[in-house]
Short mmCIF file of all heavy atoms in Angstrom, two decimals:
data_model
loop_
_atom_site.label_atom_id
_atom_site.label_comp_id
_atom_site.label_asym_id
_atom_site.label_seq_id
_atom_site.Cartn_x
_atom_site.Cartn_y
_atom_site.Cartn_z
N PHE M 1158 -8.67 16.15 -2.31
CA PHE M 1158 -9.43 15.12 -2.99
C PHE M 1158 -8.94 14.94 -4.42
O PHE M 1158 -8.96 13.84 -4.96
CB PHE M 1158 -10.93 15.45 -2.96
CG PHE M 1158 -11.57 15.15 -1.64
CD1 PHE M 1158 -11.87 16.17 -0.75
CD2 PHE M 1158 -11.86 13.84 -1.27
CE1 PHE M 1158 -12.45 15.89 0.48
CE2 PHE M 1158 -12.44 13.55 -0.04
CZ PHE M 1158 -12.74 14.58 0.83
N MET M 1174 -20.37 19.30 -1.46
CA MET M 1174 -20.80 18.94 -0.10
C MET M 1174 -20.00 19.71 0.95
O MET M 1174 -20.22 19.55 2.15
CB MET M 1174 -20.63 17.44 0.12
CG MET M 1174 -21.71 16.60 -0.57
SD MET M 1174 -21.24 14.87 -0.74
CE MET M 1174 -21.59 14.24 0.89
N GLY M 1175 -19.05 20.48 0.49
CA GLY M 1175 -18.30 21.32 1.42
C GLY M 1175 -17.09 20.64 2.03
O GLY M 1175 -16.51 21.14 2.98
N PHE M 1176 -16.71 19.47 1.51
CA PHE M 1176 -15.52 18.80 2.03
C PHE M 1176 -14.31 19.45 1.35
O PHE M 1176 -14.11 19.30 0.15
CB PHE M 1176 -15.49 17.31 1.68
CG PHE M 1176 -16.66 16.50 2.17
CD1 PHE M 1176 -16.74 15.14 1.89
CD2 PHE M 1176 -17.69 17.07 2.91
CE1 PHE M 1176 -17.80 14.38 2.34
CE2 PHE M 1176 -18.76 16.31 3.36
CZ PHE M 1176 -18.82 14.97 3.06
N THR M 1177 -13.51 20.16 2.11
CA THR M 1177 -12.39 20.84 1.48
C THR M 1177 -11.16 19.94 1.38
O THR M 1177 -10.41 20.00 0.41
CB THR M 1177 -12.02 22.13 2.23
OG1 THR M 1177 -12.01 21.81 3.62
CG2 THR M 1177 -13.00 23.24 1.98
N LYS M 1178 -10.94 19.10 2.40
CA LYS M 1178 -9.83 18.16 2.30
C LYS M 1178 -10.22 16.82 2.92
O LYS M 1178 -11.11 16.78 3.77
CB LYS M 1178 -8.57 18.74 2.96
CG LYS M 1178 -8.70 19.02 4.44
CD LYS M 1178 -7.44 19.67 4.96
CE LYS M 1178 -6.40 18.59 5.20
NZ LYS M 1178 -5.49 18.77 6.27
N PRO M 1179 -9.57 15.76 2.47
CA PRO M 1179 -9.95 14.44 3.00
C PRO M 1179 -9.67 14.38 4.51
O PRO M 1179 -8.67 14.90 4.98
CB PRO M 1179 -9.04 13.46 2.26
CG PRO M 1179 -8.40 14.22 1.16
CD PRO M 1179 -8.48 15.67 1.48
N SER M 1180 -10.58 13.76 5.24
CA SER M 1180 -10.33 13.53 6.67
C SER M 1180 -9.28 12.41 6.75
O SER M 1180 -9.04 11.70 5.76
CB SER M 1180 -11.62 13.12 7.36
OG SER M 1180 -12.00 11.84 6.95
N GLN M 1183 -10.25 9.13 5.39
CA GLN M 1183 -10.41 9.17 3.93
C GLN M 1183 -9.04 9.20 3.23
O GLN M 1183 -8.83 8.49 2.25
CB GLN M 1183 -11.24 10.40 3.52
CG GLN M 1183 -12.68 10.30 3.98
CD GLN M 1183 -13.40 11.63 4.02
OE1 GLN M 1183 -12.82 12.68 3.73
NE2 GLN M 1183 -14.67 11.60 4.38
N GLN M 1201 -15.01 5.77 14.04
CA GLN M 1201 -16.43 5.81 14.36
C GLN M 1201 -17.11 6.99 13.69
O GLN M 1201 -16.48 7.75 12.96
CB GLN M 1201 -16.65 5.83 15.85
CG GLN M 1201 -16.03 7.00 16.53
CD GLN M 1201 -16.80 7.38 17.78
OE1 GLN M 1201 -16.97 8.55 18.06
NE2 GLN M 1201 -17.28 6.41 18.52
N THR M 1202 -18.42 7.08 13.91
CA THR M 1202 -19.21 8.15 13.31
C THR M 1202 -18.56 9.50 13.59
O THR M 1202 -18.10 9.73 14.70
CB THR M 1202 -20.63 8.12 13.91
OG1 THR M 1202 -21.16 6.84 13.70
CG2 THR M 1202 -21.51 9.16 13.28
N GLY M 1203 -18.51 10.33 12.58
CA GLY M 1203 -17.95 11.66 12.80
C GLY M 1203 -16.55 11.81 12.22
O GLY M 1203 -16.02 12.91 12.15
N THR M 1204 -15.97 10.71 11.78
CA THR M 1204 -14.62 10.78 11.24
C THR M 1204 -14.63 10.90 9.72
O THR M 1204 -13.58 11.07 9.10
CB THR M 1204 -13.82 9.50 11.59
OG1 THR M 1204 -14.61 8.38 11.20
CG2 THR M 1204 -13.53 9.43 13.07
N GLY M 1205 -15.83 10.77 9.12
CA GLY M 1205 -15.91 10.80 7.66
C GLY M 1205 -15.78 9.41 7.07
O GLY M 1205 -15.45 9.24 5.90
N LYS M 1206 -16.08 8.39 7.87
CA LYS M 1206 -15.88 7.01 7.41
C LYS M 1206 -16.84 6.64 6.27
O LYS M 1206 -16.50 5.84 5.41
CB LYS M 1206 -16.02 6.03 8.57
CG LYS M 1206 -17.41 5.93 9.14
CD LYS M 1206 -17.45 4.95 10.29
CE LYS M 1206 -18.72 5.06 11.09
NZ LYS M 1206 -19.94 4.65 10.39
N THR M 1207 -18.03 7.23 6.26
CA THR M 1207 -18.99 6.86 5.22
C THR M 1207 -18.43 7.18 3.83
O THR M 1207 -18.48 6.34 2.93
CB THR M 1207 -20.33 7.59 5.42
OG1 THR M 1207 -20.68 7.49 6.80
CG2 THR M 1207 -21.42 7.01 4.56
N ALA M 1208 -17.88 8.38 3.69
CA ALA M 1208 -17.31 8.72 2.39
C ALA M 1208 -16.04 7.91 2.14
O ALA M 1208 -15.70 7.62 0.99
CB ALA M 1208 -17.00 10.22 2.33
N GLN M 1239 -29.09 6.84 6.60
CA GLN M 1239 -28.06 7.88 6.59
C GLN M 1239 -26.97 7.59 5.56
O GLN M 1239 -26.57 8.46 4.79
CB GLN M 1239 -27.42 7.82 7.96
CG GLN M 1239 -26.96 9.09 8.55
CD GLN M 1239 -26.58 8.78 10.01
OE1 GLN M 1239 -27.45 8.60 10.86
NE2 GLN M 1239 -25.30 8.65 10.27
N GLU M 1243 -26.04 9.64 2.14
CA GLU M 1243 -24.70 10.21 1.88
C GLU M 1243 -24.18 9.71 0.52
O GLU M 1243 -23.61 10.47 -0.26
CB GLU M 1243 -23.74 9.84 3.02
CG GLU M 1243 -22.31 10.34 2.80
CD GLU M 1243 -21.87 11.46 3.74
OE1 GLU M 1243 -22.75 12.11 4.33
OE2 GLU M 1243 -20.66 11.66 3.88
N ARG M 1246 -25.79 11.64 -2.18
CA ARG M 1246 -25.20 12.97 -2.38
C ARG M 1246 -23.88 12.86 -3.14
O ARG M 1246 -23.59 13.66 -4.02
CB ARG M 1246 -24.96 13.66 -1.02
CG ARG M 1246 -26.24 14.19 -0.40
CD ARG M 1246 -25.95 15.08 0.80
NE ARG M 1246 -25.46 14.31 1.94
CZ ARG M 1246 -26.24 13.76 2.87
NH1 ARG M 1246 -27.54 13.89 2.79
NH2 ARG M 1246 -25.72 13.09 3.87
N ASP M 1460 -26.19 9.53 14.44
CA ASP M 1460 -25.55 10.67 13.79
C ASP M 1460 -26.09 11.94 14.42
O ASP M 1460 -27.12 12.45 14.02
CB ASP M 1460 -25.89 10.63 12.29
CG ASP M 1460 -25.45 11.90 11.60
OD1 ASP M 1460 -24.34 12.37 11.90
OD2 ASP M 1460 -26.20 12.41 10.76
N SER M 1462 -24.60 15.62 15.36
CA SER M 1462 -23.43 16.48 15.40
C SER M 1462 -23.90 17.90 15.68
O SER M 1462 -25.09 18.16 15.73
CB SER M 1462 -22.67 16.39 14.08
OG SER M 1462 -23.56 16.62 13.04
N ARG M 1488 -18.00 20.21 16.60
CA ARG M 1488 -17.61 19.82 15.25
C ARG M 1488 -17.76 20.94 14.26
O ARG M 1488 -18.43 21.93 14.52
CB ARG M 1488 -18.54 18.69 14.78
CG ARG M 1488 -18.20 17.45 15.49
CD ARG M 1488 -18.31 16.27 14.56
NE ARG M 1488 -18.20 15.09 15.36
CZ ARG M 1488 -19.12 14.16 15.40
NH1 ARG M 1488 -20.21 14.27 14.69
NH2 ARG M 1488 -18.94 13.12 16.14
P1 AMP K 2053 -19.36 10.04 9.09
O1 AMP K 2053 -18.19 9.76 9.99
O2 AMP K 2053 -19.26 9.35 7.79
O3 AMP K 2053 -20.66 9.76 9.81
O4 AMP K 2053 -19.33 11.61 8.71
C1 AMP K 2053 -19.60 12.62 9.63
C2 AMP K 2053 -19.96 13.93 8.94
O5 AMP K 2053 -18.81 14.53 8.37
C3 AMP K 2053 -20.95 13.77 7.80
O6 AMP K 2053 -21.92 14.80 7.93
C4 AMP K 2053 -20.14 13.98 6.55
O7 AMP K 2053 -20.92 14.52 5.51
C5 AMP K 2053 -19.04 14.92 7.01
N1 AMP K 2053 -17.78 14.73 6.29
C6 AMP K 2053 -17.28 13.58 5.78
N2 AMP K 2053 -16.08 13.80 5.20
C7 AMP K 2053 -15.79 15.10 5.34
C8 AMP K 2053 -14.69 15.93 4.95
N3 AMP K 2053 -13.65 15.44 4.29
N4 AMP K 2053 -14.75 17.23 5.27
C9 AMP K 2053 -15.79 17.73 5.94
N5 AMP K 2053 -16.87 17.01 6.34
C10 AMP K 2053 -16.88 15.70 6.05
#
Side-chain angles (χ1 to χ4, degrees):
F1158 283 103
M1174 284 162 80
F1176 302 179
T1177 45
K1178 62 184 280 213
S1180 70
Q1183 292 161 358
Q1201 60 151 220
T1202 304
T1204 51
K1206 68 180 167 67
T1207 314
Q1239 214 171 284
E1243 177 111 341
R1246 284 190 289 271
D1460 171 42
S1462 52
R1488 287 219 190 122

